[in-house]
Amino acid sequence: MWKGRFQKETSDLVKRYGESVSFDWRLYAQDIRGSMAQADGLLRAGILTTAECRQIKSGLREIEKEIQDGRFTWKFSLEDVHMNIESALTERIGAAGAKLHTARSRNDQVATDARLYCRDEGAVMSGLMRDLQRALVRSAAAHVEVILPGYTHLQRGQPVLFAHHLLAYVEMLDRDAGRLDDAMRRLNVSPLGSGALAGSTIVLDREYVAAQLGFDGVTRNSMDAVSDRDFMAELLFVIALCGVHLSRLAEDIILWASAEFAFITLDDAHTTGSSLMPQKKNPDVAELTRGKCGRLIGNLVSLLTTLKGLPMTYNRDLQEDKERLFDSIDTLKMALAVNAEMITAMQVNGSVCRAAASDPFLLATDLADYLVKKGLPFRHAHEVIGKLTAFSLTEKRGFPDMTLEEFRQFSDEFSDDVFAVLNLETALAARQAPGAPSPAGVAAEIKRWQKSLGKPARKR
Ligand code: ARG
Protein backbone atom coordinates (compact mmCIF):
# COMPACT_ATOMS: atom_id res chain seq x y z
CA MET A 1 0.00 0.00 0.00
CA TRP A 2 2.96 2.30 0.43
CA LYS A 3 5.35 0.65 -2.00
CA GLY A 4 6.14 3.96 -3.76
CA ARG A 5 8.55 5.29 -1.17
CA PHE A 6 10.32 2.10 -0.11
CA GLN A 7 13.16 0.16 -1.63
CA LYS A 8 13.00 -2.76 0.76
CA GLU A 9 10.34 -5.16 1.95
CA THR A 10 9.27 -4.94 5.58
CA SER A 11 11.15 -7.54 7.62
CA ASP A 12 9.20 -10.70 8.37
CA LEU A 13 9.65 -10.18 12.06
CA VAL A 14 8.26 -6.66 11.79
CA LYS A 15 5.31 -7.94 9.80
CA ARG A 16 4.53 -10.41 12.55
CA TYR A 17 5.13 -7.82 15.23
CA GLY A 18 2.90 -5.25 13.61
CA GLU A 19 0.05 -7.22 12.11
CA SER A 20 -3.31 -6.75 13.74
CA VAL A 21 -5.48 -8.67 11.32
CA SER A 22 -5.29 -11.77 13.53
CA PHE A 23 -7.61 -9.92 15.91
CA ASP A 24 -8.98 -6.83 14.18
CA TRP A 25 -10.61 -8.97 11.48
CA ARG A 26 -13.48 -8.84 13.94
CA LEU A 27 -14.15 -5.27 12.78
CA TYR A 28 -14.93 -6.46 9.23
CA ALA A 29 -18.68 -5.75 9.34
CA GLN A 30 -18.11 -2.23 10.68
CA ASP A 31 -15.25 -1.66 8.23
CA ILE A 32 -17.44 -2.63 5.30
CA ARG A 33 -20.32 -0.48 6.51
CA GLY A 34 -17.90 2.43 6.87
CA SER A 35 -16.54 1.87 3.38
CA MET A 36 -20.02 1.81 1.89
CA ALA A 37 -20.78 5.17 3.49
CA GLN A 38 -17.42 6.47 2.28
CA ALA A 39 -18.39 5.40 -1.24
CA ASP A 40 -21.67 7.28 -0.87
CA GLY A 41 -19.71 10.36 0.17
CA LEU A 42 -17.35 10.03 -2.78
CA LEU A 43 -20.27 9.66 -5.16
CA ARG A 44 -21.92 12.77 -3.77
CA ALA A 45 -18.64 14.68 -4.19
CA GLY A 46 -18.37 13.58 -7.80
CA ILE A 47 -15.21 11.49 -7.22
CA LEU A 48 -17.01 8.27 -8.04
CA THR A 49 -19.51 7.65 -10.81
CA THR A 50 -22.76 5.91 -9.96
CA ALA A 51 -21.45 2.79 -11.67
CA GLU A 52 -18.21 2.83 -9.69
CA CYS A 53 -20.07 3.32 -6.45
CA ARG A 54 -22.32 0.40 -7.29
CA GLN A 55 -19.29 -1.75 -8.15
CA ILE A 56 -17.64 -0.91 -4.85
CA LYS A 57 -20.75 -1.73 -2.87
CA SER A 58 -21.44 -5.05 -4.54
CA GLY A 59 -17.74 -5.95 -4.25
CA LEU A 60 -17.84 -5.16 -0.54
CA ARG A 61 -21.00 -7.19 -0.14
CA GLU A 62 -19.34 -10.18 -1.79
CA ILE A 63 -16.33 -9.85 0.46
CA GLU A 64 -18.56 -9.65 3.52
CA LYS A 65 -20.34 -12.83 2.46
CA GLU A 66 -17.02 -14.59 1.96
CA ILE A 67 -15.84 -13.54 5.40
CA GLN A 68 -19.08 -14.73 6.99
CA ASP A 69 -18.79 -18.07 5.22
CA GLY A 70 -15.16 -18.47 6.22
CA ARG A 71 -14.02 -18.39 2.58
CA PHE A 72 -12.00 -15.19 2.79
CA THR A 73 -8.21 -15.45 3.00
CA TRP A 74 -6.79 -13.02 5.51
CA LYS A 75 -3.20 -12.04 4.72
CA PHE A 76 -0.86 -11.11 7.55
CA SER A 77 1.28 -9.30 5.01
CA LEU A 78 -1.61 -6.86 4.54
CA GLU A 79 -1.36 -5.96 8.21
CA ASP A 80 -4.91 -5.17 9.23
CA VAL A 81 -8.58 -5.65 8.45
CA HIS A 82 -8.74 -2.36 6.56
CA MET A 83 -5.99 -3.16 4.05
CA ASN A 84 -7.13 -6.76 3.65
CA ILE A 85 -10.60 -5.70 2.64
CA GLU A 86 -9.49 -2.79 0.45
CA SER A 87 -6.93 -4.90 -1.35
CA ALA A 88 -9.43 -7.73 -1.93
CA LEU A 89 -11.84 -5.18 -3.33
CA THR A 90 -9.34 -3.72 -5.75
CA GLU A 91 -8.26 -7.20 -6.82
CA ARG A 92 -11.87 -7.89 -7.60
CA ILE A 93 -13.11 -4.68 -9.24
CA GLY A 94 -9.92 -2.87 -10.24
CA ALA A 95 -9.79 0.91 -10.68
CA ALA A 96 -12.96 1.77 -8.75
CA GLY A 97 -11.60 -0.08 -5.71
CA ALA A 98 -8.43 1.97 -5.84
CA LYS A 99 -10.53 5.15 -5.52
CA LEU A 100 -12.23 4.15 -2.27
CA HIS A 101 -9.48 5.40 0.01
CA THR A 102 -9.73 8.96 -1.39
CA ALA A 103 -9.93 11.53 1.43
CA ARG A 104 -9.65 8.77 4.00
CA SER A 105 -6.86 7.40 6.16
CA ARG A 106 -6.76 4.23 8.17
CA ASN A 107 -6.62 6.59 11.12
CA ASP A 108 -10.13 7.97 10.70
CA GLN A 109 -11.21 4.60 9.34
CA VAL A 110 -10.18 2.60 12.41
CA ALA A 111 -11.63 5.24 14.72
CA THR A 112 -14.92 4.95 12.84
CA ASP A 113 -14.91 1.15 12.87
CA ALA A 114 -14.18 1.10 16.58
CA ARG A 115 -17.02 3.50 17.38
CA LEU A 116 -19.44 1.46 15.28
CA TYR A 117 -18.25 -1.73 16.98
CA CYS A 118 -18.72 -0.22 20.45
CA ARG A 119 -22.18 0.96 19.45
CA ASP A 120 -23.22 -2.47 18.12
CA GLU A 121 -21.86 -4.34 21.10
CA GLY A 122 -23.11 -1.71 23.54
CA ALA A 123 -26.65 -2.53 22.48
CA VAL A 124 -26.03 -6.23 23.03
CA MET A 125 -24.50 -5.66 26.47
CA SER A 126 -27.37 -3.40 27.47
CA GLY A 127 -29.84 -6.16 26.54
CA LEU A 128 -27.87 -8.69 28.58
CA MET A 129 -27.77 -6.37 31.59
CA ARG A 130 -31.55 -6.09 31.36
CA ASP A 131 -31.85 -9.88 31.09
CA LEU A 132 -29.85 -10.35 34.27
CA GLN A 133 -31.98 -7.72 36.00
CA ARG A 134 -35.06 -9.65 34.91
CA ALA A 135 -33.63 -12.89 36.29
CA LEU A 136 -32.92 -11.20 39.64
CA VAL A 137 -36.39 -9.65 39.80
CA ARG A 138 -37.99 -13.00 38.94
CA SER A 139 -36.12 -14.71 41.76
CA ALA A 140 -36.99 -11.84 44.13
CA ALA A 141 -40.67 -12.17 43.20
CA ALA A 142 -40.61 -15.95 43.62
CA HIS A 143 -39.20 -15.64 47.15
CA VAL A 144 -40.89 -12.54 48.56
CA GLU A 145 -41.56 -14.26 51.87
CA VAL A 146 -37.93 -15.23 52.51
CA ILE A 147 -36.26 -13.35 55.36
CA LEU A 148 -32.51 -13.47 55.90
CA PRO A 149 -29.96 -11.58 57.96
CA GLY A 150 -28.56 -8.40 56.47
CA TYR A 151 -24.83 -8.05 57.15
CA THR A 152 -22.30 -5.33 57.69
CA HIS A 153 -18.66 -6.39 58.12
CA LEU A 154 -20.05 -9.87 57.32
CA GLN A 155 -21.54 -9.81 60.82
CA ARG A 156 -25.26 -10.16 61.26
CA GLY A 157 -26.91 -6.75 61.44
CA GLN A 158 -30.64 -6.53 60.88
CA PRO A 159 -33.24 -8.70 59.16
CA VAL A 160 -33.99 -8.01 55.52
CA LEU A 161 -35.94 -9.69 52.77
CA PHE A 162 -34.04 -11.93 50.39
CA ALA A 163 -35.82 -10.03 47.62
CA HIS A 164 -34.46 -6.73 48.95
CA HIS A 165 -30.94 -8.16 48.83
CA LEU A 166 -31.37 -9.22 45.18
CA LEU A 167 -32.93 -5.90 44.23
CA ALA A 168 -29.76 -4.18 45.42
CA TYR A 169 -28.01 -5.79 42.45
CA VAL A 170 -30.86 -4.78 40.15
CA GLU A 171 -30.11 -1.17 41.17
CA MET A 172 -26.39 -1.59 40.43
CA LEU A 173 -27.14 -3.07 37.03
CA ASP A 174 -29.52 -0.23 36.31
CA ARG A 175 -26.76 2.28 36.89
CA ASP A 176 -24.49 0.16 34.68
CA ALA A 177 -27.04 0.24 31.88
CA GLY A 178 -27.47 3.99 32.37
CA ARG A 179 -23.72 4.56 32.18
CA LEU A 180 -23.63 2.43 29.06
CA ASP A 181 -26.33 4.60 27.49
CA ASP A 182 -24.37 7.74 28.37
CA ALA A 183 -21.20 6.32 26.84
CA MET A 184 -23.11 5.31 23.70
CA ARG A 185 -24.54 8.80 23.32
CA ARG A 186 -21.13 10.41 23.59
CA LEU A 187 -19.37 8.02 21.22
CA ASN A 188 -21.96 8.20 18.47
CA VAL A 189 -20.21 10.78 16.26
CA SER A 190 -18.36 10.12 13.05
CA PRO A 191 -14.61 10.66 12.71
CA LEU A 192 -14.74 9.96 8.95
CA GLY A 193 -13.34 12.89 7.01
CA SER A 194 -10.66 13.59 9.63
CA GLY A 195 -8.17 11.85 7.35
CA ALA A 196 -4.76 11.04 8.77
CA LEU A 197 -4.94 14.03 11.12
CA ALA A 198 -5.82 17.17 9.14
CA GLY A 199 -8.79 16.21 7.00
CA SER A 200 -8.32 16.34 3.26
CA THR A 201 -8.21 18.87 0.45
CA ILE A 202 -10.90 16.72 -1.12
CA VAL A 203 -13.88 17.75 0.92
CA LEU A 204 -16.69 15.25 1.40
CA ASP A 205 -20.04 15.96 3.02
CA ARG A 206 -19.16 14.58 6.44
CA GLU A 207 -22.63 15.07 7.88
CA TYR A 208 -24.08 13.08 5.02
CA VAL A 209 -21.58 10.22 5.45
CA ALA A 210 -22.20 10.22 9.20
CA ALA A 211 -25.95 10.01 8.67
CA GLN A 212 -25.47 6.95 6.40
CA LEU A 213 -23.84 5.24 9.38
CA GLY A 214 -26.46 6.23 11.92
CA PHE A 215 -24.15 8.65 13.73
CA ASP A 216 -25.75 11.61 15.49
CA GLY A 217 -23.15 14.00 14.09
CA VAL A 218 -19.47 14.45 13.29
CA THR A 219 -16.36 14.98 15.42
CA ARG A 220 -15.31 18.65 15.54
CA ASN A 221 -11.52 18.42 15.50
CA SER A 222 -9.62 16.19 13.09
CA MET A 223 -6.56 15.83 15.34
CA ASP A 224 -8.66 14.84 18.31
CA ALA A 225 -10.81 12.54 16.19
CA VAL A 226 -7.98 10.28 14.99
CA SER A 227 -6.29 9.99 18.37
CA ASP A 228 -9.24 9.98 20.73
CA ARG A 229 -9.97 6.70 22.48
CA ASP A 230 -11.89 8.26 25.38
CA PHE A 231 -14.99 6.51 24.14
CA MET A 232 -13.27 3.17 24.46
CA ALA A 233 -11.82 3.92 27.88
CA GLU A 234 -15.28 4.97 29.02
CA LEU A 235 -16.78 1.77 27.73
CA LEU A 236 -14.06 -0.29 29.40
CA PHE A 237 -14.79 1.54 32.65
CA VAL A 238 -18.51 0.85 32.36
CA ILE A 239 -17.68 -2.81 31.71
CA ALA A 240 -15.17 -3.00 34.57
CA LEU A 241 -17.61 -1.48 37.04
CA CYS A 242 -20.36 -3.83 35.92
CA GLY A 243 -17.78 -6.60 36.40
CA VAL A 244 -17.18 -5.36 39.94
CA HIS A 245 -20.92 -5.58 40.61
CA LEU A 246 -21.06 -9.10 39.21
CA SER A 247 -18.05 -10.01 41.29
CA ARG A 248 -19.80 -8.84 44.44
CA LEU A 249 -22.88 -10.85 43.50
CA ALA A 250 -20.58 -13.81 42.90
CA GLU A 251 -19.12 -13.45 46.38
CA ASP A 252 -22.60 -13.47 47.93
CA ILE A 253 -23.51 -16.54 45.90
CA ILE A 254 -20.32 -18.34 46.96
CA LEU A 255 -20.97 -17.61 50.63
CA TRP A 256 -24.63 -18.51 50.40
CA ALA A 257 -23.85 -21.82 48.66
CA SER A 258 -21.40 -22.88 51.39
CA ALA A 259 -22.49 -25.41 54.01
CA GLU A 260 -21.93 -22.72 56.64
CA PHE A 261 -24.65 -20.52 55.14
CA ALA A 262 -26.64 -22.95 52.94
CA PHE A 263 -29.05 -20.13 52.01
CA ILE A 264 -29.14 -21.34 48.42
CA THR A 265 -28.49 -24.50 46.44
CA LEU A 266 -26.99 -23.96 43.02
CA ASP A 267 -28.26 -26.04 40.15
CA ASP A 268 -26.01 -28.93 39.08
CA ALA A 269 -25.76 -27.30 35.66
CA HIS A 270 -23.95 -24.32 37.18
CA THR A 271 -21.52 -26.12 39.44
CA THR A 272 -18.66 -28.53 38.98
CA GLY A 273 -17.33 -31.50 40.91
CA SER A 274 -13.87 -32.28 42.17
CA SER A 275 -11.56 -34.76 40.47
CA LEU A 276 -10.49 -35.98 43.90
CA MET A 277 -13.21 -35.29 46.48
CA PRO A 278 -16.34 -37.14 45.41
CA GLN A 279 -18.73 -35.10 47.55
CA LYS A 280 -17.78 -31.67 46.19
CA LYS A 281 -20.11 -29.33 44.35
CA ASN A 282 -18.26 -26.14 43.59
CA PRO A 283 -19.67 -22.73 42.62
CA ASP A 284 -17.24 -22.29 39.71
CA VAL A 285 -19.47 -19.94 37.72
CA ALA A 286 -19.45 -17.46 40.56
CA GLU A 287 -15.74 -17.93 41.19
CA LEU A 288 -14.93 -17.41 37.51
CA THR A 289 -17.07 -14.29 37.50
CA ARG A 290 -15.16 -12.96 40.48
CA GLY A 291 -11.88 -13.90 38.81
CA LYS A 292 -12.70 -12.51 35.38
CA CYS A 293 -13.50 -9.16 36.95
CA GLY A 294 -9.75 -8.81 37.39
CA ARG A 295 -9.35 -8.99 33.63
CA LEU A 296 -11.94 -6.30 33.09
CA ILE A 297 -10.18 -3.94 35.47
CA GLY A 298 -6.85 -4.90 33.90
CA ASN A 299 -8.09 -4.10 30.40
CA LEU A 300 -9.23 -0.64 31.50
CA VAL A 301 -5.93 0.12 33.22
CA SER A 302 -4.04 -1.27 30.24
CA LEU A 303 -5.81 1.04 27.79
CA LEU A 304 -5.42 4.09 30.02
CA THR A 305 -1.73 3.32 30.35
CA THR A 306 -1.40 3.03 26.58
CA LEU A 307 -3.05 6.43 26.14
CA LYS A 308 -1.34 8.41 28.84
CA GLY A 309 1.89 9.40 27.11
CA LEU A 310 0.74 9.75 23.52
CA PRO A 311 1.66 12.94 21.70
CA MET A 312 -0.80 14.19 19.13
CA THR A 313 -2.12 12.61 17.01
CA TYR A 314 -2.41 9.00 15.83
CA ASN A 315 0.36 6.74 17.07
CA ARG A 316 0.68 3.06 16.36
CA ASP A 317 0.40 2.39 20.10
CA LEU A 318 -3.32 2.78 19.54
CA GLN A 319 -3.42 -0.58 17.79
CA GLU A 320 -3.07 -2.05 21.29
CA ASP A 321 -6.60 -0.89 22.12
CA LYS A 322 -8.53 -3.56 20.26
CA GLU A 323 -7.63 -6.76 22.10
CA ARG A 324 -8.50 -5.03 25.37
CA LEU A 325 -11.82 -3.91 23.92
CA PHE A 326 -12.73 -7.29 22.43
CA ASP A 327 -11.74 -9.16 25.56
CA SER A 328 -13.74 -6.92 27.89
CA ILE A 329 -16.85 -7.07 25.73
CA ASP A 330 -16.62 -10.85 25.22
CA THR A 331 -16.00 -11.45 28.90
CA LEU A 332 -18.81 -9.25 30.16
CA LYS A 333 -21.34 -10.64 27.70
CA MET A 334 -20.60 -14.19 28.82
CA ALA A 335 -20.62 -13.24 32.48
CA LEU A 336 -23.99 -11.51 32.22
CA ALA A 337 -25.56 -14.40 30.35
CA VAL A 338 -24.24 -17.20 32.54
CA ASN A 339 -25.11 -15.37 35.75
CA ALA A 340 -28.68 -14.82 34.56
CA GLU A 341 -28.93 -18.53 33.92
CA MET A 342 -27.46 -19.39 37.31
CA ILE A 343 -29.74 -16.99 39.23
CA THR A 344 -32.78 -18.34 37.38
CA ALA A 345 -31.98 -21.95 38.25
CA MET A 346 -30.74 -21.59 41.84
CA GLN A 347 -32.87 -22.86 44.70
CA VAL A 348 -33.47 -20.63 47.71
CA ASN A 349 -33.57 -22.40 51.06
CA GLY A 350 -36.14 -20.21 52.77
CA SER A 351 -36.24 -22.05 56.09
CA VAL A 352 -32.45 -21.93 56.50
CA CYS A 353 -32.49 -18.20 55.74
CA ARG A 354 -35.26 -17.70 58.25
CA ALA A 355 -33.46 -19.71 60.95
CA ALA A 356 -30.41 -17.48 60.52
CA ALA A 357 -32.61 -14.37 60.57
CA SER A 358 -34.21 -15.57 63.81
CA ASP A 359 -31.05 -14.69 65.72
CA PRO A 360 -32.59 -12.38 68.38
CA PHE A 361 -29.64 -9.99 68.21
CA LEU A 362 -30.83 -8.92 64.75
CA LEU A 363 -33.56 -7.03 66.57
CA ALA A 364 -31.27 -5.23 69.02
CA THR A 365 -31.65 -2.02 67.02
CA ASP A 366 -35.42 -2.45 67.13
CA LEU A 367 -35.26 -2.66 70.91
CA ALA A 368 -33.25 0.56 71.02
CA ASP A 369 -35.85 2.19 68.74
CA TYR A 370 -38.56 0.93 71.14
CA LEU A 371 -36.91 2.85 73.99
CA VAL A 372 -36.60 5.93 71.80
CA LYS A 373 -40.33 5.78 71.17
CA LYS A 374 -40.75 5.73 74.99
CA GLY A 375 -38.77 8.97 75.15
CA LEU A 376 -35.16 7.88 75.72
CA PRO A 377 -32.46 9.67 73.70
CA PHE A 378 -31.04 7.23 71.14
CA ARG A 379 -27.52 7.25 72.61
CA HIS A 380 -28.92 6.20 76.03
CA ALA A 381 -31.12 3.57 74.44
CA HIS A 382 -28.08 2.23 72.53
CA GLU A 383 -26.18 1.82 75.78
CA VAL A 384 -29.10 0.13 77.55
CA ILE A 385 -29.44 -2.43 74.76
CA GLY A 386 -25.67 -2.90 74.67
CA LYS A 387 -25.74 -3.91 78.34
CA LEU A 388 -28.79 -6.08 77.72
CA THR A 389 -26.85 -7.82 74.94
CA ALA A 390 -23.91 -8.51 77.24
CA PHE A 391 -26.37 -9.93 79.80
CA SER A 392 -27.99 -12.12 77.15
CA LEU A 393 -24.57 -13.42 76.10
CA THR A 394 -23.53 -14.38 79.64
CA GLU A 395 -26.94 -15.86 80.41
CA LYS A 396 -26.92 -17.66 77.06
CA ARG A 397 -30.55 -16.66 76.59
CA GLY A 398 -31.94 -14.62 73.73
CA PHE A 399 -34.08 -11.49 74.21
CA PRO A 400 -37.40 -13.37 73.79
CA ASP A 401 -36.43 -15.76 76.60
CA MET A 402 -35.89 -13.01 79.13
CA THR A 403 -38.53 -11.92 81.64
CA LEU A 404 -39.97 -8.43 81.83
CA GLU A 405 -38.27 -8.06 85.24
CA GLU A 406 -34.92 -8.80 83.62
CA PHE A 407 -35.59 -6.20 80.92
CA ARG A 408 -36.55 -3.69 83.58
CA GLN A 409 -33.20 -4.14 85.36
CA PHE A 410 -31.76 -2.16 82.44
CA SER A 411 -34.48 0.46 82.02
CA ASP A 412 -37.87 1.05 83.61
CA GLU A 413 -39.16 2.20 80.23
CA PHE A 414 -39.63 -1.48 79.33
CA SER A 415 -43.16 -2.81 79.67
CA ASP A 416 -45.19 -5.78 78.43
CA ASP A 417 -45.36 -4.49 74.86
CA VAL A 418 -41.60 -5.10 74.45
CA PHE A 419 -42.21 -8.70 73.43
CA ALA A 420 -44.24 -7.63 70.43
CA VAL A 421 -41.12 -5.87 69.12
CA LEU A 422 -39.27 -9.19 69.09
CA ASN A 423 -41.13 -10.52 66.10
CA LEU A 424 -39.50 -10.74 62.67
CA GLU A 425 -42.67 -9.95 60.72
CA THR A 426 -43.48 -6.91 62.85
CA ALA A 427 -39.87 -5.77 62.69
CA LEU A 428 -39.79 -5.91 58.89
CA ALA A 429 -43.22 -4.37 58.46
CA ALA A 430 -42.06 -1.43 60.57
CA ARG A 431 -39.24 -0.62 58.13
CA GLN A 432 -41.40 1.61 56.03
CA ALA A 433 -39.09 4.36 54.88
CA PRO A 434 -38.67 4.58 51.11
CA GLY A 435 -35.85 2.21 50.18
CA ALA A 436 -36.18 0.11 53.35
CA PRO A 437 -37.20 -3.55 53.28
CA SER A 438 -40.79 -3.59 54.54
CA PRO A 439 -42.61 -6.36 52.66
CA ALA A 440 -45.01 -3.79 51.22
CA GLY A 441 -42.17 -1.57 50.08
CA VAL A 442 -40.26 -4.48 48.53
CA ALA A 443 -43.39 -5.75 46.78
CA ALA A 444 -43.90 -2.30 45.30
CA GLU A 445 -40.28 -2.24 44.12
CA ILE A 446 -40.67 -5.65 42.49
CA LYS A 447 -43.77 -4.37 40.70
CA ARG A 448 -41.97 -1.24 39.58
CA TRP A 449 -39.06 -3.26 38.17
CA GLN A 450 -41.34 -5.76 36.47
CA LYS A 451 -43.10 -2.90 34.78
CA SER A 452 -40.00 -0.99 33.74
CA LEU A 453 -38.05 -4.05 32.58
CA GLY A 454 -40.94 -5.58 30.68
CA LYS A 455 -40.70 -8.95 29.01
CA PRO A 456 -38.72 -8.77 25.75
CA ALA A 457 -35.05 -7.88 25.62
CA ARG A 458 -34.73 -4.17 24.88
CA LYS A 459 -33.39 -3.80 21.37
CA ARG A 460 -32.14 -0.54 19.96
N1 ARG B 1 -4.19 -1.28 12.45
C1 ARG B 1 -4.15 0.09 12.81
C2 ARG B 1 -4.73 0.26 14.21
O1 ARG B 1 -5.31 -0.62 14.67
C3 ARG B 1 -4.95 0.91 11.86
C4 ARG B 1 -4.44 2.30 11.67
C5 ARG B 1 -3.07 2.29 11.13
N2 ARG B 1 -2.66 3.59 10.77
C6 ARG B 1 -1.37 3.83 10.50
N3 ARG B 1 -1.08 5.02 10.15
N4 ARG B 1 -0.44 2.93 10.68
O2 ARG B 1 -4.57 1.27 14.83
Side-chain angles (χ1 to χ4, degrees):
M1 295 269 167
W2 46 71
K3 51 184 185 282
R5 188 216 183 284
F6 288 77
Q7 262 121 50
K8 258 193 186 173
E9 267 280 305
T10 317
S11 122
D12 279 342
L13 211 49
V14 171
K15 277 185 196 156
R16 268 164 54 205
Y17 192 56
E19 69 82 19
S20 55
V21 69
S22 56
F23 49 88
D24 71 12
W25 68 269
R26 292 180 60 173
L27 294 173
Y28 77 87
Q30 289 75 21
D31 197 68
I32 286 172
R33 246 194 285 161
S35 286
M36 298 232 188
Q38 174 73 6
D40 284 328
L42 291 170
L43 172 66
R44 197 178 171 89
I47 313 263
L48 291 179
T49 64
T50 314
E52 286 172 326
C53 182
R54 208 177 297 130
Q55 257 185 312
I56 287 177
K57 286 190 172 181
S58 70
L60 287 171
R61 255 180 241 115
E62 275 173 38
I63 291 171
E64 184 166 32
K65 188 87 187 39
E66 277 181 24
I67 297 173
Q68 283 164 351
D69 297 347
R71 284 185 287 120
F72 187 83
T73 321
W74 296 103
K75 296 184 187 141
F76 281 3
S77 55
L78 288 172
E79 205 174 290
D80 56 25
V81 60
H82 323 292
M83 294 207 288
N84 265 273
I85 292 176
E86 191 194 324
S87 142
L89 180 70
T90 308
E91 235 169 66
R92 200 159 306 211
I93 66 169
K99 289 187 178 178
L100 179 61
H101 211 52
T102 313
R104 184 177 74 173
S105 154
R106 278 185 295 154
N107 298 351
D108 56 350
Q109 189 177 359
V110 72
T112 304
D113 293 3
R115 282 175 191 262
L116 289 174
Y117 187 86
C118 290
R119 197 177 77 191
D120 293 347
E121 292 296 320
V124 177
M125 288 188 287
S126 171
L128 290 166
M129 285 173 184
R130 297 304 181 194
D131 288 345
L132 178 54
Q133 282 184 302
R134 276 186 208 100
L136 288 161
V137 171
R138 260 197 312 272
S139 179
H143 302 102
V144 267
E145 76 297 340
V146 175
I147 304 174
L148 84 174
Y151 298 79
T152 61
H153 314 269
L154 207 51
Q155 305 287 319
R156 286 176 182 170
Q158 298 178 3
V160 292
L161 288 184
F162 175 79
H164 193 58
H165 194 132
L166 289 193
L167 289 187
Y169 288 102
V170 177
E171 294 286 342
M172 292 177 225
L173 286 162
D174 203 53
R175 292 194 296 275
D176 292 331
R179 265 185 290 269
L180 191 55
D181 277 352
D182 291 345
M184 293 300 115
R185 244 193 312 280
R186 221 178 338 271
L187 70 72
N188 199 29
V189 286
S190 171
L192 269 184
S194 302
L197 80 156
S200 170
T201 55
I202 300 160
V203 180
L204 304 190
D205 184 342
R206 291 191 63 203
E207 297 280 356
Y208 170 75
V209 174
Q212 304 301 304
L213 292 168
F215 282 119
D216 296 327
V218 299
T219 53
R220 311 302 322 169
N221 180 300
S222 62
M223 295 176 78
D224 177 43
V226 295
S227 59
D228 169 27
R229 293 293 181 275
D230 290 8
F231 67 93
M232 211 183 272
E234 243 185 289
L235 188 60
L236 291 196
F237 170 71
V238 172
I239 291 174
L241 188 52
C242 183
V244 168
H245 294 150
L246 295 186
S247 182
R248 294 184 62 193
L249 174 62
E251 179 61 18
D252 275 342
I253 296 286
I254 291 164
L255 284 174
W256 288 353
S258 69
E260 282 68 19
F261 279 79
F263 290 176
I264 57 167
T265 307
L266 292 173
D267 195 89
D268 281 1
H270 306 115
T271 49
T272 61
S274 154
S275 58
L276 194 148
M277 298 169 280
Q279 87 286 8
K280 289 300 289 290
K281 179 170 166 180
N282 298 326
D284 291 30
V285 168
E287 292 168 86
L288 283 166
T289 302
R290 194 176 54 186
K292 282 174 192 288
C293 174
R295 264 164 75 163
L296 302 180
I297 296 168
N299 286 338
L300 168 64
V301 174
S302 165
L303 177 65
L304 290 172
T305 311
T306 297
L307 298 179
K308 72 174 267 296
L310 293 187
M312 289 289 247
T313 55
Y314 178 85
N315 297 272
R316 192 61 180 277
D317 315 42
L318 290 176
Q319 184 167 292
E320 288 295 307
D321 61 357
K322 276 167 285 292
E323 287 157 294
R324 310 289 93 75
L325 178 72
F326 295 149
D327 184 62
S328 280
I329 291 174
D330 294 346
T331 304
L332 186 72
K333 276 163 56 178
M334 276 281 262
L336 288 166
V338 73
N339 276 284
E341 213 184 87
M342 180 178 68
I343 295 291
T344 302
M346 78 185 180
Q347 215 186 87
V348 180
N349 305 325
S351 54
V352 181
C353 294
R354 187 172 179 108
S358 301
D359 175 349
F361 285 144
L362 289 178
L363 297 178
T365 318
D366 295 58
L367 282 180
D369 289 351
Y370 165 89
L371 292 177
V372 167
K373 285 171 198 154
K374 302 275 178 180
L376 235 62
F378 181 74
R379 279 292 152 229
H380 297 177
H382 187 287
E383 194 187 338
V384 168
I385 306 302
K387 286 178 175 157
L388 194 69
T389 300
F391 176 75
S392 159
L393 282 169
T394 29
E395 288 286 302
K396 294 192 169 54
R397 259 188 300 132
F399 299 141
D401 301 321
M402 289 164 43
T403 63
L404 180 58
E405 287 62 44
E406 285 170 330
F407 272 106
R408 290 179 65 85
Q409 283 170 27
F410 297 89
S411 164
D412 23 313
E413 299 296 345
F414 283 117
S415 54
D416 252 349
D417 54 357
V418 68
F419 295 101
V421 175
L422 298 173
N423 172 290
L424 269 180
E425 269 69 27
T426 323
L428 275 167
R431 289 176 156 75
Q432 281 170 9
S438 76
V442 172
E445 279 301 291
I446 290 176
K447 256 224 179 87
R448 188 177 67 78
W449 281 119
Q450 284 169 334
K451 205 165 150 227
S452 83
L453 289 167
K455 287 256 148 62
R458 223 169 54 171
K459 287 257 155 11
R460 28 165 102 234

